[in-house]
């Protein structure tokens, strides 16, 4: 009987030799894919480089131990620890992960996660059986190998749990530009053709979205959220004898606002009336505008003394005044190109705004507490604008080469910022991106990076997030996507359908 038992233990050891050889060789032959999949793991993203190498190395070492008779018992204990670690990892994925990622090579590719959990548990029992048989054969005290097995199981569990919590902290707070992708996070619902490719999002109300047009700047178009009805009207300003360069429209229910910052004039009209009246004239030149309420605005303008971009607040009415806040936009090179970015409004919380730098990894949250603002870094490591600028003799600045674009577009809804990034992160090969753009999600109330998802391969002229989902203007098309499921802990009323 002892010989039969020892043969069983030997067969189990050879089973683990085959298992780890197959798994290790599979990972080595497709190492890039294995590393990418580890990077997309919701538990191990921050340690993708270390884990991808260490797992393969550990499997090779275990196989070596199992093939050497004097070290076989050590190899079986190591197999117990390895399979326990794999098992607790899968358990955490299935029960505590925001999503279930793709497989990580080897046997896992041939099974579902639940099936692999069962397989791993069976392997733990096999390794325990072989350990017990060999220890009995060596006449080791029962209490000794029971304690040894328990310690290995506990340490393996603790190792994975610690990696999980550390990875969560690093990814959310100290990210090293490793994205955590949400698979199939958005699903296309509707799309509709537009007359031309010059549209942009002007705003929304509770029934639909509004589009402005750069080629026909006095036309305001409203489209209901499901693209069933479209209506347009032409805005008629009370005074139009100005040399406008680029008229734009902002909508904040129940008003729309017509402006061109190169001419210091702002018009206001109600959404059911084409007549727009002047509410600000000669108060400020500006390049961007966001609406606080019917008579108060956040502007991006230039300081007349330094000629650098600055954030300002304009109050119109009987006591019109403008306040500059030069400390909000931080100069790095020239205060113009390096401070360039986009000012947008929170589509759920009125009075909250976001300024996204184009050429550095920072978002600025702005509200009524000016000049106090909240800054949040994106996961991209470029904290200083990478550009080469020359100042000409007439005082103007010229960019000598195209700069590195860090952020392309942003949408702001509730506590979440949806930022289209301009650069690939770690472990994102070209074949994975395939020309698609990544949207990184940030939670501003917690100063956290949440996760990312890919957009389909398409142009992106403008984006907006509403209660009905994500809307994108792509060339001559308007597309609507809904979110497959809400983010964990999300209290916003986004449609998930």
């Amino acid at each position: 009987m002892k010989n039969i038992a020892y043969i069983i233990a030997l067969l189990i050891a050879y089973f683990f030799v085959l298992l780890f050889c197959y798994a290790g060789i599979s990972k080595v032959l497709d190492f890039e894919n294995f590393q990418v999949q580890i990077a997309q793991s919701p538990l191990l993203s921050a340690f993708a480089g270390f884990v991808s190498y260490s797992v393969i190395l550990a499997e090779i070492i275990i196989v070596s131990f199992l093939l050497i008779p004097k070290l076989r018992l050590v190899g079986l204990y190591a197999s117990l620890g390895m399979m326990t670690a794999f098992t607790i990892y899968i358990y955490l994925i299935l029960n505590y992960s925001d999503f279930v990622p793709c497989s990580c090579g080897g046997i896992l590719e041939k099974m579902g996660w639940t099936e692999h959990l069962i397989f791993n548990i069976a392997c733990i029992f096999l390794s325990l059986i072989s350990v017990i048989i060999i220890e009995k054969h060596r006449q080791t005290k029962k209490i000794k190998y029971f304690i040894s097995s328990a310690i290995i199981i506990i340490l393996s569990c603790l190792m994975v749990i610690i990696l999980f919590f550390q990875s969560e902290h690093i990814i959310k707070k100290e990210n090293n530009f490793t994205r955590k992708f949400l698979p199939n996070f958005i699903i296309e619902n509707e799309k509709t053709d537009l007359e031309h490719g010059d549209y942009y999002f002007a705003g929304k109300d509770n029934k639909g979205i509004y589009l402005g047009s750069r080629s026909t700047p006095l036309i305001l178009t409203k489209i209901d959220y499901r693209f069933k009805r479209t209506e347009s009207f032409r805005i008629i300003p009370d005074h139009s004898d100005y040399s406008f360069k680029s008229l734009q429209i902002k909508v904040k229910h129940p008003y729309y606002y017509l402006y061109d910052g190169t001419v210091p004039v702002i018009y206001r009209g109600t959404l059911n009336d084409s007549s727009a009246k002047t509410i600000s004239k000669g108060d400020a030149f500006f390049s961007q505008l966001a609406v606080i309420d019917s008579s108060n605005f956040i502007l991006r303008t230039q300081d007349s003394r330094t000629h650098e971009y600055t954030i300002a607040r304009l109050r119109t009415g009987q006591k019109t005044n403008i306040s500059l806040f030069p400390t909000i936009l931080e100069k790095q090179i020239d205060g113009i190109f390096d401070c360039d970015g986009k000012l947008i409004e929170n589509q759920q919380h009125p009075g909250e705004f976001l300024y996204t730098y184009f050429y550095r990894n920072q978002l600025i949250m702005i509200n009524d507490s000016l000049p106090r603002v909240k800054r949040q870094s994106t996961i991209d490591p470029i904290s200083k604008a990478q550009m080469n600028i020359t100042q000409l003799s007439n005082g103007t600045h010229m960019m000598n080469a195209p700069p590195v674009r860090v952020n392309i577009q942003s949408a702001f809804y509730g506590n979440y910022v949806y930022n289209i990034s301009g650069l690939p992160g770690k472990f994102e090969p070209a074949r994975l991106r395939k020309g698609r753009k990544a949207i990184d999600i940030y939670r501003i109330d917690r100063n956290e990076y949440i996760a990312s998802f890919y957009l389909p391969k398409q142009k992106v002229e403008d984006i907006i997030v509403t209660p009905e989902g994500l809307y994108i203007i792509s060339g001559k098309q308007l597309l609507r996507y809904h979110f497959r499921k809400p983010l964990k802990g999300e209290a916003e009323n986004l449609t998930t359908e």
Side-chain angles (χ1 to χ4, degrees), residues 2 5-6 73 129-142 145-146:
K2 287 185 177 180
Y6 192 81
L73 182 60
I129 290 169
S130 61
V131 164
I132 291 170
I133 291 172
I134 293 178
E135 290 284 25
K136 280 186 175 181
H137 184 77
R138 294 185 175 188
Q139 297 182 340
T140 306
K141 289 183 180 180
K142 185 181 293 185
Y145 57 78
F146 273 13

Side-chain angles (χ1 to χ4, degrees), residues 70 96 130 145 199 247 349:
K70 289 183 179 180
Y96 297 98
S130 61
Y145 57 78
Y199 285 102
L247 277 169
H349 299 156

Side-chain angles (χ1 to χ4, degrees), residues 463-477:
I463 65 171
I464 190 172
V465 174
T466 79
E468 297 295 323
L470 170 68
Y471 291 80
I472 293 175
I473 295 175
S474 176
K476 294 184 179 181
Q477 282 192 323

Side-chain angles (χ1 to χ4, degrees), residues 204-479:
K204 69 169 186 64
D205 61 16
N206 59 352
K207 293 183 180 179
I209 53 177
Y210 291 85
L211 303 181
S213 168
R214 297 177 185 85
S215 57
T216 54
L218 293 175
I219 302 297
L220 180 60
T221 301
K222 181 179 179 180
I223 303 178
D224 74 284
Y225 283 124
R226 303 302 173 92
F227 304 163
K228 303 296 183 184
R229 182 179 178 185
T230 301
E231 54 188 42
S232 301
F233 68 87
R234 184 180 182 85
I235 298 172
I236 304 173
D238 56 359
H239 298 286
S240 57
D241 51 343
Y242 303 108
S243 299
F244 293 120
K245 294 182 179 179
S246 179
L247 277 169
Q248 296 182 62
I249 305 171
K250 286 281 185 184
V251 170
K252 192 176 185 72
H253 191 271
Y255 300 108
Y256 62 85
Y257 302 85
L258 180 68
Y259 62 93
D260 179 350
T262 62
V263 177
V265 174
I266 302 174
Y267 305 94
R268 184 183 66 208
T270 55
L271 288 169
N272 58 357
D273 187 355
S274 61
S275 299
K277 296 182 179 180
T278 303
I279 61 170
S280 172
K281 180 181 178 182
D283 298 321
F285 293 93
F286 56 91
S287 52
Q288 293 188 41
L289 173 147
V291 182
I292 300 175
D293 57 39
S294 60
S295 58
N296 293 283
F297 306 89
I298 299 290
L299 307 177
R300 190 189 73 175
T301 183
Q302 282 184 276
D303 191 313
S304 59
R305 296 166 300 172
T306 64
H307 303 289
E308 297 169 5
Y309 279 148
T310 186
I311 296 296
R313 177 168 182 163
L314 173 65
R315 302 175 188 268
T316 64
Q318 293 181 346
K319 296 182 179 180
T320 296
N321 67 75
I322 182 166
S323 303
L324 300 183
F325 304 99
T327 61
I328 294 178
L329 301 184
E330 297 175 331
K331 175 182 176 179
Q332 291 183 332
I333 302 172
D334 68 335
I336 301 175
F337 289 122
D338 64 326
C339 288
D340 200 7
K342 189 171 183 180
L343 178 66
I344 60 173
E345 303 170 28
N346 192 322
Q347 295 299 323
Q348 188 187 37
H349 299 156
E352 292 186 359
F353 308 91
L354 178 79
Y355 189 84
T356 305
Y357 284 117
F358 288 148
Y359 306 113
R360 67 178 95 163
N361 63 348
Q362 194 177 91
L363 312 171
I364 305 175
M365 272 59 69
I366 303 170
N367 55 31
D368 286 338
S369 63
L370 290 168
R372 295 195 308 274
V373 296
K374 181 179 178 181
R375 301 178 191 274
Q376 179 167 340
S377 295
T378 64
I379 58 175
D380 190 291
I382 298 178
S383 58
K384 184 174 181 180
Q386 297 182 5
M387 53 180 61
N388 186 356
I389 296 171
T390 299
Q391 184 172 353
L392 303 179
S393 57
N394 61 2
T396 60
H397 293 230
M398 182 180 72
M399 202 174 295
N400 296 325
V404 176
R405 183 74 174 259
V406 176
N407 304 306
I408 298 175
Q409 292 277 0
S410 295
F412 192 13
Y413 185 88
N415 289 320
Y416 294 90
V417 175
Y418 301 80
N419 183 57
I420 300 181
S421 175
L423 297 173
K426 290 185 177 180
F427 314 111
E428 292 177 43
R431 61 175 180 78
L432 181 66
R433 300 193 309 273
K434 296 179 181 176
R436 298 178 295 172
K437 291 180 174 63
I439 291 188
D440 302 321
I441 308 172
Y442 300 90
R443 183 154 184 168
I444 59 168
D445 59 330
R446 297 179 181 175
N447 195 25
E448 289 181 353
Y449 162 70
I450 302 299
S452 304
F453 61 92
Y454 276 128
L455 290 173
K457 188 176 181 180
Q458 61 191 7
K459 292 181 180 179
V460 180
E461 269 76 34
D462 204 359
I463 65 171
I464 190 172
V465 174
T466 79
E468 297 295 323
L470 170 68
Y471 291 80
I472 293 175
I473 295 175
S474 176
K476 294 184 179 181
Q477 282 192 323
L478 175 62
L479 303 100

Side-chain angles (χ1 to χ4, degrees), residues 160-226:
V160 176
I161 291 170
I162 290 170
L163 282 175
F164 164 55
F165 283 113
Q166 284 294 317
S167 182
E168 282 288 284
H169 175 77
I170 291 171
I171 287 293
K172 291 183 177 181
K173 299 289 188 178
E174 302 171 3
N175 194 287
N176 58 355
F177 208 15
T178 300
R179 290 193 171 98
K180 184 171 71 174
F181 281 101
L182 300 170
N184 304 315
F185 184 60
I186 58 170
I187 300 173
E188 183 181 314
N189 278 91
E190 293 96 9
K191 61 182 177 182
T192 186
D193 292 329
L194 302 173
E195 291 182 6
H196 49 75
D198 294 329
Y199 285 102
Y200 60 90
F201 290 115
K204 69 169 186 64
D205 61 16
N206 59 352
K207 293 183 180 179
I209 53 177
Y210 291 85
L211 303 181
S213 168
R214 297 177 185 85
S215 57
T216 54
L218 293 175
I219 302 297
L220 180 60
T221 301
K222 181 179 179 180
I223 303 178
D224 74 284
Y225 283 124
R226 303 302 173 92

